Amino acid sequence: AYPKKMKWWKRYGQKELKGLCYLVQGDAYYTKSEFAKSKVAYLNSIALIKELPSTGRLATLYNNLGLVYYINAQYDSAMVVFLQSLKIESANQNQEGIAKSYQNIGLVHFQMGDNDKFNSYMKMALALYERLNDNLRVAEAANNIAIAMADDGDYDSAFTYYQKAYASFEEYGDELNMANVLNNLGNLFYYKGQYKEAESYLLKAL
């Protein structure tokens, strides 16, 4: 076993170590909103990590790079790498990673004006997050779906998803986002012309 590990280290060890250094560097730049530098670091990391037998970190890197593209409104590039991340996560049967990829792909479709594909991917993400009992992600996905449905004028469906989002944020204990959902509900009823209901939700959001 030991010679086998040594053989692996000689072949891949330095690449993995350098790749991880670039990954950490990319995350640090991302946290500081230095996205151009973050992009370069992630690309350097990908070039090294993609040569390793294990693909788990590569999926994370593609996802992180996609977020950089997304923030910079480079939606075509974001879509490419999010789909690459999804392909790897699916091959590894990583349910959490698949859900995250669905969610990110859905958000890109939303920015590109395709609400149908947005809803399709976001609902797939929501279903997986529910199976994983990830209340925060359930709430985020449901809230995103509700916002898109409200934009389309489907207020009844939006109300249903806002309720799901509120309940999940409440279970998670996220009071700030609970207030945001109540505010969104207030706006929803305002657009429906139901002003008393709108006032009630907006007051609860305070």
Side-chain angles (χ1 to χ4, degrees), residues 23-197:
L23 170 57
V24 171
Q25 188 180 62
D27 288 345
Y29 284 133
Y30 184 93
T31 302
K32 294 189 290 185
S33 299
E34 295 183 36
F35 300 119
K37 292 180 180 179
S38 180
K39 172 186 167 183
V40 171
Y42 286 143
L43 286 170
N44 286 335
S45 183
I46 287 169
L48 293 162
I49 297 295
K50 72 191 306 183
E51 296 184 30
L52 304 181
S54 175
T55 57
R57 283 200 181 94
L58 187 59
T60 299
L61 277 161
Y62 280 135
N63 182 68
N64 292 359
L65 179 61
L67 292 174
V68 172
Y69 286 133
Y70 182 86
I71 287 170
N72 287 317
Q74 296 174 273
Y75 300 123
D76 289 335
S77 296
M79 181 68 77
V80 169
V81 290
F82 283 146
L83 286 170
Q84 287 175 305
S85 181
L86 175 61
K87 183 178 179 180
I88 295 170
E89 299 290 21
S90 298
N92 292 338
Q93 298 183 347
N94 179 9
Q95 299 302 300
E96 184 178 355
I98 293 169
K100 186 182 295 183
S101 294
Y102 283 154
Q103 187 171 12
N104 289 335
I105 292 167
L107 290 171
V108 173
H109 280 301
F110 182 77
Q111 294 297 336
M112 297 174 80
D114 193 335
N115 277 9
D116 289 338
K117 286 186 178 179
F118 164 81
N119 281 325
S120 177
Y121 276 99
M122 199 59 68
K123 286 178 181 177
M124 289 192 291
L126 176 62
L128 278 178
Y129 285 137
E130 286 179 324
R131 263 184 261 164
L132 293 166
N133 295 314
D134 189 337
N135 289 322
L136 178 59
R137 302 302 177 203
V138 166
E140 290 174 348
N143 190 58
N144 287 334
I145 293 168
I147 290 170
M149 288 183 165
D151 284 346
D152 285 341
D154 188 355
Y155 297 126
D156 291 339
S157 295
F159 178 73
T160 299
Y161 280 98
Y162 276 137
Q163 284 185 311
K164 180 185 285 289
Y166 184 86
S168 296
F169 278 132
E170 185 176 37
E171 193 164 347
Y172 188 75
D174 190 335
E175 294 185 0
L176 177 60
N177 275 313
M178 287 165 62
N180 287 336
V181 173
L182 290 171
N183 186 69
N184 289 342
L185 282 164
N187 290 331
L188 184 150
F189 280 105
Y190 179 83
Y191 292 131
K192 289 179 71 176
Q194 296 175 235
Y195 301 119
K196 285 187 177 180
E197 289 85 352

Side-chain angles (χ1 to χ4, degrees), residues 1-15:
Y2 183 73
K4 189 175 181 180
K5 287 182 179 179
M6 285 297 296
K7 186 178 179 181
W8 187 95
W9 174 255
K10 285 180 181 179
R11 186 171 181 182
Y12 300 115
Q14 290 299 315
K15 289 180 181 178

